[in-house]
Amino acid sequence: MSGSPTPAARVGRAVRVTGPLIEADGVPDVAMGEIVRMGAEGISAEVVGVDGARATMQAYEYTGGLRVGDPAAGTGQPLTGLFGPGLLGHAFDGLMRPLSSAPLWLRPDRPGDDAEGTRERRWTFVPAVAVGDTVGEGDVLGTVPTTGAVEHRVLTPAGCAGTVERIAAGEVGDLDAVARVSGRDVHLSERWPIRRPRPVRERLTDPVPLHTGQRVLDLFFPVARGAAAAVTGGFGTGKTMLLQQVAKWCDADVIVYVGCGERGNEMADVLDDLGRLVDARTGGRLVDRTVVVANTSNMPMMARELSIYTGVGIAEYFRDMGHDAVVIADSTSRWAEALREFANRRGDLPAEEGFPADLASELAAFYERAGRVTTLGGQEASVTVIGAVSPPGGDMSEPVTTISQRFVRAMWMLDRDLAYARHYPAVHWSGSFARDAAGLARWQTVHGDPEWAQRRARALEVLAEADRLESLAEVIGVSSLPGRERVVVLGGRLLREGVLAQNALHPNDATCADAKGAALLDLVLDVIDACHAAIARGVSATALERVDMGPVIRAAQDGGPEDATAIAATRERMLDAIRRVS
C-alpha cells in the first residue's frame, strides 16, 4: 500500500500529533485523499482535511515517536494497493503488508519489503494470446498457475485495448511488464486506489442465491450473490462463529476475511482453522482460496477503516477475473468506533451517540461495493459483502445497526436467549429478514424447487404462532391449551431443534446442501400435518406428545451433508408411528 516516490520540493513539517491525528504545514498543493509520508520512518497518513496551507491527516500506522517538526512528504497519489499473484492463502494487514504469526500476536512482516511495500517474488506466466492478436478491456492475457485454488488471470486493464505488440512467457517478477498493448505496458501486478470501485460493464439485477451451507440462512433468510448482508447480535451470540461457518462452506470461489478491530486470538483461530480445513470443492486446503486481512484490536486504530476497503478492493480484483468473491467484515461496529474516535479528536460536531455525521455515507460506500456484474471481459461475477454488527449491550436501536439495515438486502439477527440455550446458529426468525426472498423463490422455481417459497412461508408462520403460544403457555401452562395449539407448540420445537439448529462440529451437519435442507423442512412439516390430522380424528395431544420425536431432531445428522435419502426413510417411519397413535 503506497504512493509514488516523493519529490523533495513537496515536504512540509508536522505541527500537531494526537494519536492517529496529524496536522502538517507547508506541503505545497496537497490534496484531499493524498498519502503523505510522515517522519523518518515514512508513516503512511491520508489527508482528510485541507485548510489553506495546513493539512489534517489520519495515520494508518503507530505514531509513537513522531514529533512536531518531523518532515511531511507528499506523494501526490491516493491510497493505493498492489494487486497481483500471491494474495490467496496469505494474511495481510490493512496496508497489505504480509503478516506472520508470533507466539502471542500477529505482527507485520517488514523484513524484505522495499520502500513501496513490494515483495520480490518470481512467477511463471503462461500467455493466452499471441503477438498481433486484438484484445479489449478485461480480456485474459495469460494466467499464473500455482497461486492458489482458483485460476489467477492477468487481464487487459481498464482503458486499454488494441493490438498485442509483445507478450511474455516463463518467469516474471511482481512488477515486470508481461505484455504491451497498443503502446501501453501491462504489468503482472496492478496498482489501484482502494477507495475507488473497479469498473464493470454492467450491474445485474436478477438475484441468484449464494449457498452458505447454513440451513437457517439458505431456507429462511437467503442472500443473493452480489448482495449485502449484516449479522447483528450482542456479545456472546456467535457472530464470529457464524461468519466462520459461512467462510468455510459457502459456494463462492474466493473468500476475503477481514478482521476489523476484533481480538487477536480470534483471528489466530481463523487462520489456524482455514489452514487445517479441507476444501470440499478442490480437495486442497480452504486457505488456498482465502485472503485474510487482519487489523486486530491491538493494531493501529485507523487501519481498521483501511482494512475494510482493502478487503473489498481485493474481492473486486478477483471478481474482474470472473470469480465469485465474498467479503466477510468482522466487525463494522469496530470500524465505526474508529471513525467516532478520530472525529472526536478532530473536534467534529458529533451526531447520534457521538458517531460522525457522515456515518451513513461511510456505511453506504462500503456496502454498495457489493454487486453481481458483467465484467469488462464479459463474464458474470460477483462480490458479496457480509458485515458483522456488534451493538453495545445488544441494543438493536443504536446507530450502526439501524443504518446498516437501510443498505443491506439481508439481516441475520442473533438472539441472546437462543445462544445461551446452546441453539446455534442463534439466528432469530422474528428479527431477521431477506429482501431478495421473492426473487430467489423465482430462481428456485426455475431450477427445480417450485415449493421453496410455500415451504418457507409456512415454516415461518408455524414459528411465529409457536412463539405466541409459548408466551401464553408460560402463564396458563401447555396442558391448558387446545390440542391443535399444543401441536403448533410441538411443531415449533421440531423446527427449531430439527431444522434451524446446526452442529458445526458434526461432519454430517456442519454444512447442508439445498436438497437435504428442503427434505428436512418437508419432514417436519409433514409430521406437523400428521399430528393435526390425528387431533382431527380424536387423538389426544398428550398421546401425540408421548411419541418419540428424536428421529426427527436427529435426522440432520443422518447421511452426508448432501444425502437426503435417509431423511425420506425417517419420514415414513414417523408418519407411520403417528398414524398408529390412538
Side-chain angles (χ1 to χ4, degrees), residues 195-270:
R195 296 189 187 277
R196 184 193 306 167
R198 295 174 67 91
V200 298
R201 181 183 298 179
E202 179 187 11
R203 291 180 71 93
L204 304 174
T205 57
D206 52 316
V208 174
L210 175 74
H211 179 71
T212 66
Q214 308 306 297
R215 285 188 297 272
V216 64
L217 307 183
D218 296 334
L219 295 176
F220 295 94
F221 308 108
V223 61
R225 293 182 185 271
V231 183
T232 181
F235 176 78
T237 54
K239 293 184 299 297
T240 299
M241 184 65 183
L242 177 58
L243 291 173
Q244 289 182 22
Q245 287 297 100
V246 172
K248 292 173 185 177
W249 302 113
C250 75
D251 59 354
D253 300 315
V254 174
I255 306 296
V256 182
Y257 197 104
V258 182
C260 177
E262 291 302 295
R263 294 179 290 274
N265 61 335
E266 288 187 351
M267 290 307 304
D269 287 343
V270 170

Side-chain angles (χ1 to χ4, degrees), residues 297-511:
S297 54
N298 62 299
M299 292 182 179
M301 177 193 68
M302 290 314 300
R304 297 178 191 177
E305 183 203 23
L306 183 60
S307 63
I308 289 285
Y309 286 102
T310 298
V312 175
I314 292 172
E316 288 180 342
Y317 177 68
F318 284 102
R319 177 206 64 193
D320 290 349
M321 298 180 195
H323 302 307
D324 290 308
V326 169
V327 178
I328 294 176
D330 188 10
S331 78
T332 58
S333 293
R334 304 292 175 260
W335 167 40
E337 289 169 2
L339 296 178
R340 176 171 61 185
E341 181 175 338
F342 186 78
N344 291 339
R345 288 180 184 272
R346 289 180 61 183
D348 293 346
L349 187 66
E352 186 178 2
E353 295 193 16
F355 286 103
D358 64 348
L359 177 62
S361 299
E362 294 286 349
L363 285 168
F366 168 59
Y367 283 118
E368 288 175 2
R369 296 280 287 268
R372 193 168 71 91
V373 304
T374 301
T375 67
L376 295 178
Q379 297 177 297
E380 288 189 9
S382 65
V383 171
T384 306
V385 174
I386 303 175
V389 184
S390 307
D395 178 14
M396 299 302 171
S397 64
E398 61 89 34
V400 181
T401 304
T402 55
I403 292 173
S404 296
Q405 291 183 36
R406 293 162 48 190
F407 303 118
V408 298
R409 302 297 298 172
M411 174 72 79
W412 304 327
M413 192 192 78
L414 305 188
D415 183 74
R416 186 187 303 272
D417 291 337
L418 287 176
Y420 287 0
R422 298 183 181 275
H423 175 111
Y424 293 105
V427 178
H428 202 280
W429 41 92
S430 65
S432 303
F433 63 79
R435 293 190 171 112
D436 290 323
L440 293 174
R442 291 191 293 271
W443 186 94
Q444 295 285 358
T445 298
V446 171
H447 290 80
D449 189 3
E451 304 298 323
W452 186 89
Q454 181 180 356
R455 189 189 301 120
R456 172 181 182 268
R458 183 163 174 229
L460 289 174
E461 181 182 357
V462 171
L463 288 167
E465 190 175 1
D467 284 348
R468 180 183 66 83
L469 292 173
E470 285 176 354
S471 298
L472 180 61
E474 290 178 358
V475 178
I476 65 174
V478 174
S479 60
S480 300
L481 296 174
R484 177 197 168 278
E485 294 183 345
R486 288 170 68 174
V487 169
V488 172
V489 173
L490 172 64
R493 181 174 69 86
L494 293 178
L495 283 172
R496 292 192 301 270
E497 298 179 14
V499 179
L500 302 185
Q502 202 163 343
N503 188 348
L505 303 179
H506 196 288
N508 291 340
D509 202 28
T511 182

Side-chain angles (χ1 to χ4, degrees), residues 10 15 23-32 34 47-57:
R10 299 196 68 228
V15 296
E23 292 184 356
D25 274 343
V27 183
D29 301 321
V30 69
M32 287 287 291
E34 180 180 350
V47 176
V48 295
V50 178
D51 183 9
R54 176 163 295 191
T56 301
M57 295 161 285

Side-chain angles (χ1 to χ4, degrees), residues 508-555:
N508 291 340
D509 202 28
T511 182
C512 183
D514 284 341
K516 183 175 181 179
L520 281 170
L521 195 49
D522 282 335
L523 165 64
V524 174
L525 294 176
D526 287 347
V527 167
I528 295 172
D529 287 342
C531 289
H532 279 304
I535 293 290
R537 69 174 185 265
V539 177
S540 69
T542 302
L544 289 174
E545 289 169 349
R546 292 197 187 104
V547 176
D548 180 15
M549 296 294 177
V552 177
I553 296 173
R554 295 189 297 270

